[in-house]
Amino acid sequence: MNKIGSFKLLSLMVVTLLFIISCDSTRDYEQKESIQISEENPFYWEYDGEPLLLLGGSKEDNLFNHPEGLEAHLDALQSAGGNYIRNTMSSRNPGNRWPFKKLENGLYDLEQWDEEYWDRFENLLNLAAERDIIVQVEIWDPWDYFKTEAPLGFGPNNAGWESNPFNPRLNVNYTAEESGLDIQIEYHSKAEPTDHVFFHTVPKLKDIAVIRQYQEKFVEKILSVSLDYPNVLYCMNNEIGEPAEWGKYWARFIRRKADERDEEVFLTDMRRNSDFTSREQVSLLMDNEHYDFFEISQNNANDGQKHYDLIMSVRNRIRENPKPLNNVKIYGGTIGSWTTSVEEGTRRFWRNIFGGCASARFHRPGPSRHYFGIGLSDLAQTHIKSMRMFMENFDIFSCEPANHFMNNRGLNEAYCIAEEDEQYAVYFPDGGDCKLTINYSTGEWEKRWLDISNSAWHEAEPLNGGNRLTLETPGDGQWAVLITPSE
């Protein structure tokens, strides 16, 4: 064989090897069982057949639209023990792309796609799947569809309705007269329904097909990408206040499109109301026709014992027909009327898990440092790491919240989760002591403290036997303790 022939053969072998490597790397997550509700304990998820506790934090809510440094960011999350991110299909930040093609005349064509936007979305799902990170996709983010300069420090550089391709002033597909849409929205997203026609297009509301056809086109495009991945959950809206039928329509739409591809999807919606005893939230919780899990994030605007008690009220309502309770965002940044402190944000993280929730993710920071949440800061990584360390030694999927085992407990002083006679865990938000009434035998049980702030275990201590155990934290700050049979 001559040199040219040898070179061609070598080139073919290299190409073939690269193809095989590429197929193998893709096949790794394509062969995994998709995320689904655990059959053993439906309050939790499982992925690839294994039970899964979802823990996370990230620098942005629309991570796909911030591709610079994305891979390193996901690596940092994974390294800390995280496996859960939020991804709003939002375009409001500087440098973000919108989903539709912008023409030379400066207007958008809703019949054509912006390929970079969709490449970014697929890139995120691919990077996350490679790392076994679950992505909770939010279809509609109201902040993209209302007044541009949003309150609470979003800042003037964030884009809203005045920059949105669905605005009739900005596309070639319909006029304000044809659609009924205002070209200017002078108010922000609210906790109750507004007059914004965009959120009333579905048949049971105002039935405006000229707009809805493009809304449906957008959602179909999302699914054309996301349904290829096993690591995706779906939320219809971000803290919506619009009529409930808006979210239900999109839940039915997504379910139907998934069924056409013989794919199973898991859906929820997120209301803005932080009162989980309200008719609005209870109605959403009990709607098993449209929704498979419950997004309890707005509870993270509540503090202390109230925060925990509302989780318990939700769990108790669905005890006979459980579903996962997800926290895709945990507030807690600079002191304010609704965010409170950074420290309280980390306590919410732990109370959520000890309250039996299926996920906990720190909300992104705001324009001023730590305004909304702590994202994937060093502090967030410490708490994710500590939680993962704790759960590696504790089978939470067999447990229930169990404060009834504690005596002389002060308000918001300690929280217990347990599998009776098998394993117990107690979380202390800020030091303290309590008595635990359990049965344990001499020389067969031990307790072990976790210093949460330093992600460090103390040496295990054997228990002397009895049925009333006194627990006192080794110091101030946040602590967790395991009481388990000795190995």
Side-chain angles (χ1 to χ4, degrees):
M1 182 181 295
N2 59 30
K3 291 183 178 180
I4 295 177
S6 298
F7 178 76
K8 287 183 176 179
L9 178 60
L10 179 60
S11 298
L12 179 61
M13 291 171 65
V14 170
V15 170
T16 302
L17 179 61
L18 291 174
F19 176 77
I20 292 171
I21 293 172
S22 174
C23 288
D24 286 345
S25 63
T26 301
R27 194 177 301 124
D28 182 53
Y29 64 76
E30 284 187 343
Q31 289 187 336
K32 290 187 175 180
E33 295 179 36
S34 296
I35 187 168
Q36 56 191 292
I37 295 172
S38 169
E39 291 186 9
E40 300 264 332
N41 187 345
F43 277 115
Y44 294 98
W45 297 102
E46 64 179 52
Y47 184 57
D48 199 27
E50 297 295 327
L52 194 68
L53 184 67
L54 302 180
L55 305 175
S58 50
K59 61 183 180 180
E60 299 288 351
D61 296 332
N62 55 342
L63 275 175
F64 83 108
N65 229 332
H66 294 266
E68 186 175 353
L70 177 58
E71 190 166 357
H73 192 62
L74 295 178
D75 283 341
L77 174 65
Q78 184 185 40
S79 178
N83 59 355
Y84 180 50
I85 58 174
R86 177 190 191 206
N87 189 69
T88 60
M89 301 304 297
S90 170
S91 303
R92 69 176 181 264
N93 307 130
N96 287 176
R97 303 296 286 258
W98 292 96
F100 303 103
K101 183 174 182 178
K102 194 171 190 177
L103 306 176
E104 290 184 2
N105 62 6
L107 300 179
Y108 291 94
D109 183 358
L110 305 186
E111 296 284 354
Q112 300 186 66
W113 301 119
D114 179 86
E115 296 301 332
E116 173 64 19
Y117 177 97
W118 298 104
D119 287 346
R120 289 180 177 188
F121 181 46
E122 186 159 15
N123 178 57
L124 171 71
L125 296 185
N126 184 62
L127 291 173
E130 289 175 347
R131 291 159 177 78
D132 291 332
I133 293 172
I134 304 303
V135 183
Q136 187 165 312
V137 172
E138 287 175 24
I139 307 297
W140 306 107
D141 188 346
W143 294 112
D144 285 32
Y145 299 92
F146 284 87
K147 186 177 179 180
T148 293
E149 189 175 348
L152 301 173
F154 278 104
N157 292 326
N158 288 276
W161 187 243
E162 293 174 8
S163 304
N164 196 308
F166 280 105
N167 187 326
R169 185 177 64 85
L170 298 179
N171 70 60
V172 298
N173 307 94
Y174 50 69
T175 65
E177 291 72 24
E178 290 169 337
S179 64
L181 286 167
D182 292 329
I183 62 173
Q184 196 163 345
I185 301 295
E186 292 294 343
Y187 47 88
H188 304 298
S189 178
K190 301 178 181 179
E192 61 279 337
T194 69
D195 294 328
H196 196 346
V197 170
F198 185 86
F199 295 98
H200 295 255
T201 61
V202 301
K204 290 186 179 180
L205 296 176
K206 294 188 177 181
D207 192 15
I208 307 175
V210 68
I211 307 169
R212 192 177 67 250
Q213 64 177 318
Y214 297 112
Q215 293 172 331
E216 291 177 349
K217 179 182 172 72
F218 172 65
V219 176
E220 280 191 90
K221 181 63 173 177
I222 293 173
L223 297 174
S224 73
V225 177
S226 63
L227 288 177
D228 288 338
Y229 291 86
N231 59 322
V232 181
L233 300 171
Y234 299 88
C235 182
M236 302 306 101
N237 298 281
N238 171 30
E239 53 186 41
I240 196 77
E242 301 299 333
E245 177 55 30
W246 163 260
K248 292 178 182 179
Y249 178 82
W250 296 112
R252 292 191 296 269
F253 184 86
I254 291 172
R255 188 97 60 192
R256 185 170 69 252
K257 294 299 177 181
D259 287 345
E260 289 172 2
R261 285 188 43 172
D262 197 28
E263 297 285 352
E264 188 175 21
V265 289
F266 294 90
L267 314 176
T268 193
D269 203 353
M270 187 199 304
R271 306 300 298 178
R272 194 164 178 176
N273 194 334
S274 61
D275 179 3
F276 285 83
T277 64
S278 67
R279 182 177 180 180
E280 178 184 18
Q281 288 289 12
V282 172
S283 177
L284 177 61
L285 173 67
M286 305 308 288
D287 186 355
N288 297 321
E289 176 185 353
H290 296 93
Y291 304 118
D292 311 291
F293 65 105
F294 188 66
E295 184 47 71
I296 197 172
S297 282
Q298 293 308 299
N299 186 41
N300 294 303
N302 295 306
D303 295 339
Q305 189 67 46
K306 180 181 179 181
H307 175 255
Y308 181 85
D309 289 346
L310 285 169
I311 300 172
M312 292 304 99
S313 74
V314 170
R315 278 183 62 100
N316 289 336
R317 287 183 188 276
I318 57 173
R319 184 165 296 280
E320 300 303 316
N321 191 16
K323 62 176 68 173
L325 308 179
N326 276 22
N327 292 273
V328 80
K329 52 182 172 178
I330 296 174
Y331 303 118
T334 52
I335 296 175
S337 61
W338 63 279
T339 58
T340 68
S341 67
V342 168
E343 190 73 11
E344 179 60 21
T346 62
R347 291 167 182 157
R348 288 165 177 157
F349 179 81
W350 285 83
R351 278 195 301 262
N352 282 327
I353 299 305
F354 272 70
C357 292
S359 79
R361 173 195 164 269
F362 292 112
H363 194 24
R364 66 174 176 86
S368 59
R369 189 172 182 265
H370 292 169
Y371 191 86
F372 300 114
I374 61 174
L376 194 59
S377 62
D378 290 344
L379 179 62
Q381 291 183 53
T382 293
H383 280 269
I384 294 169
K385 180 181 179 181
S386 292
M387 182 70 79
R388 191 62 72 190
M389 289 170 61
F390 197 80
M391 294 308 163
E392 285 173 354
N393 293 275
F394 184 73
D395 180 14
I396 197 171
F397 309 108
S398 301
C399 294
E400 292 274 340
N403 284 357
H404 59 276
F405 286 119
M406 291 186 292
N407 298 295
N408 79 311
R409 170 189 175 273
L411 199 66
N412 190 39
E413 184 177 20
Y415 298 92
C416 179
I417 190 166
E419 180 185 9
E420 189 170 5
D421 296 333
E422 298 293 332
Q423 53 177 344
Y424 302 82
V426 180
Y427 163 63
F428 291 84
D430 189 15
D433 63 85
C434 72
K435 289 182 169 57
L436 203 63
T437 302
I438 61 174
N439 292 318
Y440 57 98
S441 302
T442 303
E444 296 179 358
W445 286 70
E446 63 184 23
K447 66 178 178 181
R448 192 179 183 196
W449 288 96
L450 177 67
D451 180 354
I452 291 172
S453 297
N454 293 298
S455 300
W457 284 108
H458 284 210
E459 289 292 327
E461 303 172 41
L463 299 178
N464 296 322
N467 61 7
R468 194 172 175 85
L469 175 64
T470 298
L471 297 173
E472 183 174 358
T473 60
D476 296 332
Q478 298 186 58
W479 293 85
V481 62
L482 277 177
I483 299 97
T484 58
S486 302
E487 294 183 359

